[in-house]
Amino acid sequence: MRIVTTAAAMQRLALRWRRAGTRVGFVPTMGYLHGGHLSLVHRARRLVGKRGIVVASIYVNPTQFAPTEDLSAYPRDLERDKALCRKAGVDVLFLPSDAEMYPGRDTGGYSTYVVEERLSQGMEGGSRPTHFRGVTTVVAKLFNLVLPDVAVFGAKDWQQAAVIRRMTRDLNFPLRVVVAPTRREKDGLAMSSRNKYLSAEERAQATILFRALKLAKEVVAASRTPNYADVLKKELAALIATQPAARLDYVEFFDPETLQPAIAVTRGTHLALAVFIGRTRLIDNAELK
Ligand code: AMP
């Protein structure tokens, strides 16, 4: 596995692959890798084949964190991540620094951002107003540095995947965006780097997100007529309130493609929620098939 740390070296390599006609699959991450990330790497490998190149990046992108958020506390373990990438068959691990990605950002030397104006408005965008501007900016930059044929994202961040797919189409990036399913722990908790923040007590209560998704699926499966989103939201909020460490940030029913909020909930409607467990903010989502 080759490690690349500068933007120039990454782009030089990518241009060489492109000239050689080599297929490139790309998995961007913020590190502290878990089974969810590794499932994306395996998917990228299947997509580009044995002769293709799989690139993973680890970069904790400062522009997608608000000043009040957990940027400096974000979990990191680079040696472990390198070993996991090597084992998963990553060919090139891109580890840029802030100075490489945003040269001169603190002194006015960096001033270009990419903004998606529609799909990024509600849900995560409502709770974290500057988040998606940071995400689209860094992903656009990474696409320009890695020049992938296909980039793999996780369904765990459903809105993010939708925003990136839209950006890719709107800005004509010549690549395919693939979304891979959410990997979960045995008790249903979606794998996340942020699960590390949870105490044992909080970890037990964190399954409430999965249980809320399950309850919504059961209600929808048992109903012959559509359910009102507002009624279901109240039921889910009540379930979440049974956990003393849990505080609901949002719960939303929406169309999986347009992300437009749904008034009536039917099979095929999508559900997403964000819940604080203690001080840790967790998100999850599911289709209500
Ligand atoms: P992150 O490092 O949290 O920014 O995530 C990097 C990529 O991994 C994103 O495309 C996420 O959607 C994806 N991802 C995170 N958690 C999971 C999971 N539990 N299952 C599948 N993909 C995930």
Side-chain angles (χ1 to χ4, degrees):
M1 184 176 76
R2 181 161 177 179
I3 291 180
V4 176
T5 57
T6 70
M10 185 67 247
Q11 202 174 48
R12 251 195 327 268
L13 252 184
L15 285 166
R16 206 184 302 155
W17 294 327
R18 177 162 288 188
R19 280 192 292 271
T22 305
R23 280 181 68 72
V24 178
F26 179 40
V27 179
T29 82
M30 298 206 300
Y32 209 74
L33 302 179
H34 51 65
H37 295 119
L38 300 176
S39 73
L40 307 187
V41 169
H42 293 133
R43 180 69 172 269
R45 172 59 67 199
R46 286 200 299 279
L47 286 160
V48 299
K50 270 203 303 250
R51 290 160 169 241
I53 296 276
V54 173
V55 180
S57 63
I58 296 179
Y59 180 56
V60 183
N61 172 37
T63 64
Q64 71 190 66
F65 288 79
T68 52
E69 291 178 348
D70 58 342
L71 172 63
S72 60
Y74 198 81
R76 294 162 208 247
D77 189 343
L78 197 51
E79 288 315 307
R80 182 171 163 274
D81 285 353
K82 282 182 193 169
L84 287 171
C85 284
R86 214 171 273 126
K87 195 159 162 249
V90 169
D91 296 303
V92 172
L93 181 58
F94 182 40
L95 302 172
S97 63
D98 289 341
E100 284 291 321
M101 291 303 280
Y102 300 105
R105 189 167 76 98
D106 296 337
T107 50
Y110 185 93
S111 51
T112 304
Y113 293 85
V114 176
V115 179
E116 191 287 324
E117 295 190 333
R118 202 174 176 91
L119 304 182
S120 53
Q121 291 305 306
M123 297 191 280
E124 287 303 287
S127 295
R128 309 178 68 189
T130 58
H131 173 66
F132 282 120
R133 170 185 188 258
V135 170
T136 42
T137 299
V138 81
V139 171
K141 287 171 65 66
L142 290 168
F143 282 177
N144 282 329
L145 294 174
V146 176
L147 305 176
D149 295 283
V150 57
V152 188
F153 292 85
K156 157 87 184 340
D157 300 275
W158 187 269
Q159 186 180 14
Q160 169 174 280
V163 167
I164 287 166
R165 189 177 268 144
R166 174 65 63 90
M167 174 193 81
T168 300
R169 198 192 71 185
D170 286 353
L171 297 185
N172 308 95
F173 282 101
L175 61 95
R176 183 152 77 95
V177 171
V178 168
V179 180
T182 302
R183 293 289 300 268
R184 300 180 178 279
E185 305 291 353
K186 281 205 181 75
D187 61 6
L189 177 67
M191 291 180 181
S192 164
S193 308
R194 289 188 168 100
N195 293 348
K196 177 183 161 60
Y197 296 142
L198 302 169
S199 68
E201 186 115 323
E202 290 169 345
R203 172 63 185 79
Q205 295 184 34
T207 58
I208 199 65
L209 285 89
F210 182 64
R211 285 188 277 154
L213 299 178
K214 223 172 120 212
L215 172 64
K217 279 188 196 175
E218 285 164 7
V219 170
V220 169
S223 310
R224 291 222 194 105
T225 53
N227 289 270
Y228 284 109
D230 283 348
V231 176
L232 263 177
K233 279 184 193 177
K234 285 202 184 97
E235 266 185 64
L236 298 183
L239 175 70
I240 287 158
T242 61
Q243 303 304 298
R247 180 166 60 79
L248 180 63
D249 181 2
Y250 68 77
V251 51
E252 193 62 85
F253 294 93
F254 58 94
D255 177 280
E257 304 297 325
T258 64
L259 307 190
Q260 280 302 300
I263 296 163
V265 178
T266 56
R267 292 176 186 88
T269 303
H270 217 91
L271 163 62
L273 72 175
V275 178
F276 283 93
I277 304 290
R279 295 170 62 176
T280 304
R281 188 173 176 281
L282 301 178
I283 61 172
D284 206 342
N285 71 88
E287 188 188 342
L288 301 175
K289 303 197 264 222

